């Protein structure tokens, strides 16, 4: 008996290679979706909050930083329409303090920042805190709330009434004023509501 060996056609091996590639991509997609769904989850947090500044506060021992906004720093000043300086950072902090005093805060966390603060979207009584700050012209949109920022600009509310340094630029220019000791002392500064 004679046995002959016959190699498969090139077309068949290409299909096998394509099939293997598609299988590998499908497995990678399943792993990626699983990692997303099973990745770190943060339980919602809620309670009475104490203001830190215009975009952050304390909820119990947890430090919370609102997502998608950036408010002027506490010591930051802005210029109004007439050219006069005004304490926009204090105004942002005071507005946040009034919002926090209006009820129980509920936050949906999304992770932590490099300072260990919980990054979250938060609301009080159905009112989104980030939206409220941007709508009042006391924070800039930073990844969200673009519509609210455009309205505040058009109405020349808060920081949009004159000129100001973007909070990020102001922080970069005043790094030495943001030492850990100053930051700690700011935590215990009484709210001005």
């Amino acid at each position: 008996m004679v046995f002959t060996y016959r190699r498969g056609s090139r077309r068949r091996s290409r299909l096998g290679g394509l099939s293997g590639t598609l299988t590998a991509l499908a497995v990678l997609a399943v792993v990626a979706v699983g990692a997303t769904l099973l990745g770190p989850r943060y339980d919602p947090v809620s309670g009475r909050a104490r203001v830190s500044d215009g975009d952050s506060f304390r909820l119990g021992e947890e430090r919370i930083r609102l997502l998608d906004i950036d408010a002027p720093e506490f010591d930051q000043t802005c210029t109004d329409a007439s050219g006069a300086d005004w304490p926009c950072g204090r105004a942002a902090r005071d507005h946040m303090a009034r919002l926090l005093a209006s009820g129980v805060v509920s936050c949906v966390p999304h992770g932590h920042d490099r300072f260990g603060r919980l990054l979250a979207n938060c609301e009080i009584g159905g009112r989104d805190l980030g939206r409220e700050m941007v709508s009042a012209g006391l924070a800039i949109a930073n990844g969200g709330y673009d519509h609210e920022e455009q309205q505040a600009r058009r109405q020349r509310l808060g920081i949009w009434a004159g000129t100001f340094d973007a909070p990020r630029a102001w922080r970069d220019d005043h790094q030495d004023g943001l030492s850990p000791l100053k930051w700690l002392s700011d935590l215990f500064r009484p709210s001005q509501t």
Side-chain angles (χ1 to χ4, degrees):
M1 200 187 254
V2 176
F3 291 99
T4 58
Y5 174 73
R6 183 176 158 180
R7 277 178 72 186
S9 71
R10 285 183 168 258
R11 181 178 174 106
R12 188 172 200 194
S13 66
R14 282 188 192 148
L15 287 176
L18 179 60
S19 173
T21 301
L22 291 175
T23 301
L25 288 174
V27 168
L28 287 174
V30 167
V31 168
V33 168
T36 300
L37 294 175
L38 300 175
R41 293 224 176 232
Y42 300 94
D43 292 329
V45 293
S46 63
R48 288 288 188 176
R50 296 183 325 265
V51 68
S52 297
D53 61 21
D55 53 24
S56 60
F57 52 88
R58 283 188 164 281
L59 198 53
E61 293 304 311
E62 190 77 60
R63 294 180 303 145
I64 311 282
R65 169 72 160 79
L66 292 177
L67 279 174
D68 300 330
I69 72 168
D70 199 7
E73 294 299 317
F74 183 76
D75 291 327
Q76 185 173 347
T77 58
C78 299
T79 306
D80 66 18
S82 67
D85 286 346
W86 66 283
C88 56
R90 290 175 194 253
R93 181 178 186 265
D94 292 348
H95 189 70
M96 177 61 75
R98 284 188 296 277
L99 290 170
L100 295 175
S102 70
V104 173
V105 179
S106 298
C107 298
V108 177
H110 297 281
H112 287 88
D113 68 6
R114 64 187 176 127
F115 302 110
R117 297 177 298 186
L118 195 61
L119 298 170
N121 295 107
C122 302
E123 63 178 36
I124 294 178
R127 292 174 33 210
D128 183 293
L129 294 178
R131 178 170 286 115
E132 293 290 324
M133 292 300 293
V134 172
S135 293
L138 293 171
I140 61 172
N142 190 16
Y145 310 113
D146 293 328
H147 176 73
E148 291 79 4
E149 180 178 298
Q150 290 306 316
Q151 283 186 309
R153 283 179 185 234
R154 275 193 300 280
Q155 295 173 10
R156 302 193 54 77
L157 298 175
I159 59 179
W160 304 109
T163 61
F164 65 95
D165 290 333
R168 162 68 47 211
W170 191 91
R171 283 190 298 273
D172 289 345
D173 290 344
H174 296 83
Q175 283 295 325
D176 52 344
L178 297 176
S179 71
L181 290 177
K182 180 177 183 326
W183 183 81
L184 280 173
S185 71
D186 288 348
L187 281 177
F188 299 104
R189 179 183 296 135
S191 152
Q192 310 222 339
T193 55

